[in-house]
Amino acid sequence: MALKFQFQFAGADFSRPSSPYRKALRIFLIVMAVVLSGLAYWGYLHHLTHGSRRPVVSHTAPVVPAAAKVAAPSAVQPEQSAPSAAPAPTLKKIADASLVAMGNYLIRAGKVAPSTPEVTTMVPTQPVAMPAPTPVAVVVSPSTKTTVRPYRVHTDQERLLMAGQTAFDNVMDVANKFPDAYGFEAGDFLSEAKLGAPMQIYTIAESDRANYQSGQAIKPLLKAAKQWVFPVMMGERICCMVEVSQRGHEYVPGKGNKSLAMAWSKINEKWPTEDGYHPMLVVNPDVPGYYFTVPELPEQNITDTIEMFYLHPGYSPADVILASWR
């Protein structure tokens, strides 16, 4: 019976938030239910302790035979078990009804959502469906073993080309502001400038210069110096030369040289490769500037590149220049 009353409102929806009036009414009803329940329970106990007592009437036991005395206890057995008799049905029903009513009300009050955040009522609900986690892409390497890529040592030729490219980039950065200083003309697009192949610079040892005899071949005396120049090309025109020198094991980018490019263009124009000439650039470590020689000419020669800026450029005999280097 009690379970029936307790769950008769289980399907009702008490999620509507309560107003202050309903809250006060609910508190008042709870207090009244507790008071009534207490009174009912007190009346129930009073009935158990006082209501079942009956006045004791003394009777003179008649003299009966011995057999009758044996049956006497069963005759008075109801009188002895009277204190444990059940309470009056009316009071019991009232007490049960009050307890059931109070329990039902408390159950209904527990299902109502609290109006203030301080009170939290634990109500069994259906499991809340949590949103599915966002998938995260995890890159799993096929192997946990770390492979160390060996560093490839560049060859001397590769390091020379890298130094030349660096020198070219440095010159082009400045040429964007001062294009004429590096041989670029109006209408040139600097983005179209290209770096040409490196040209080896040669020198003559001091002992060979000191022992040189007039008419002696120059080409066998030429030794590769640790210097190179790269032509900066705008189409077929040489705008300037960028220099690279070797110091120890390092290749050092140098500056740009417009005058050397102009002199070299005139040298190739006067003694072109198509006619079988192969000019070579020569330097003296103790003398600034560049010289050139054309081994195919009948007279052995070494000429300062400044000669090419004269009105009628020519070449100088090798013994004259080598004598000035001593």
Side-chain angles (χ1 to χ4, degrees), residues 9 17 42 50 65 68 101 116 152 163 215 231 234 253 270 291 321:
F9 295 99
W42 177 83
H50 298 87
T116 57
R152 186 177 69 86
M234 180 62 69
K270 187 172 182 64
Y291 295 81
I321 298 298

Side-chain angles (χ1 to χ4, degrees), residues 5-325:
F5 281 102
Q6 291 176 3
F7 293 98
Q8 62 182 348
F9 295 99
D13 182 12
F14 295 97
S15 60
R16 185 177 57 186
S18 60
S19 63
Y21 174 76
R22 290 187 177 183
K23 182 177 180 181
L25 180 60
R26 183 168 61 253
I27 295 174
F28 174 74
L29 292 177
I30 291 174
V31 173
M32 291 302 296
V34 173
V35 172
L36 291 177
S37 299
L39 292 176
Y41 187 70
W42 177 83
Y44 176 69
L45 294 178
H46 184 271
H47 174 73
L48 292 178
T49 55
H50 298 87
S52 61
R53 293 184 180 180
R54 297 180 181 178
V56 181
V57 180
S58 61
H59 297 279
T60 303
V63 178
V64 295
K69 291 183 179 180
V70 175
S74 60
V76 298
Q77 185 66 27
E79 295 293 332
Q80 296 178 357
S81 58
S84 61
T90 303
L91 293 177
K92 184 176 183 301
K93 289 181 179 181
I94 294 174
D96 290 343
S98 300
L99 292 175
V100 170
M102 182 180 65
N104 291 338
Y105 184 81
L106 292 176
I107 290 174
R108 292 195 301 270
K111 293 182 178 180
V112 178
S115 58
T116 57
E118 291 78 12
V119 180
T120 303
T121 304
M122 301 300 295
V123 180
T125 58
Q126 295 295 330
V128 179
M130 299 299 294
T134 303
V136 179
V138 179
V139 179
V140 180
S141 59
S143 175
T144 57
K145 183 178 179 180
T146 303
T147 303
V148 179
R149 180 177 295 179
Y151 175 76
R152 186 177 69 86
V153 179
H154 296 285
T155 63
D156 290 344
Q157 184 65 21
E158 291 174 335
R159 293 160 61 193
L160 171 62
L161 296 177
M162 289 190 295
Q165 185 65 44
T166 301
F168 172 77
D169 295 338
N170 295 338
V171 166
M172 296 308 297
D173 288 341
V174 182
N176 286 324
K177 298 180 180 179
F178 310 101
D180 183 67
Y182 295 93
F184 294 100
E185 300 175 355
D188 288 343
F189 292 93
L190 299 184
S191 59
E192 297 179 358
K194 304 295 181 182
L195 185 66
M199 298 170 52
Q200 179 69 58
I201 307 298
Y202 296 90
T203 188
I204 300 175
E206 183 178 359
S207 59
D208 292 334
R209 297 197 305 264
N211 299 324
Y212 182 77
Q213 299 295 325
S214 178
Q216 184 180 353
I218 291 295
K219 190 173 183 179
L221 302 180
L222 298 178
K223 307 296 181 182
K226 295 182 179 181
Q227 291 178 252
W228 296 263
V229 291
F230 290 75
V232 177
M233 310 293 296
M234 180 62 69
E236 297 295 329
R237 187 178 82 253
I238 301 177
C239 297
C240 66
M241 297 280 194
V242 292
E243 304 169 346
V244 174
S245 60
Q246 183 179 4
R247 300 176 186 175
H249 297 285
E250 300 297 330
Y251 291 84
V252 181
K255 61 183 180 179
N257 193 323
K258 175 184 176 181
S259 61
L260 178 60
M262 295 173 62
W264 186 251
S265 296
K266 292 183 178 182
I267 291 171
N268 287 319
E269 182 180 355
K270 187 172 182 64
W271 296 285
T273 305
E274 293 80 6
D275 295 342
Y277 297 104
H278 299 88
M280 304 171 69
L281 288 174
V282 183
V283 294
N284 180 0
D286 300 326
V287 178
Y290 290 90
Y291 295 81
F292 72 94
T293 182
V294 184
E296 291 79 13
L297 292 176
E299 184 179 2
Q300 299 301 305
N301 59 91
I302 296 177
T303 309
D304 194 333
T305 55
I306 297 177
E307 179 74 20
M308 303 310 297
F309 294 97
Y310 295 156
L311 183 60
H312 300 287
Y315 59 87
S316 301
D319 55 349
V320 175
I321 298 298
L322 292 178
S324 66
W325 287 2

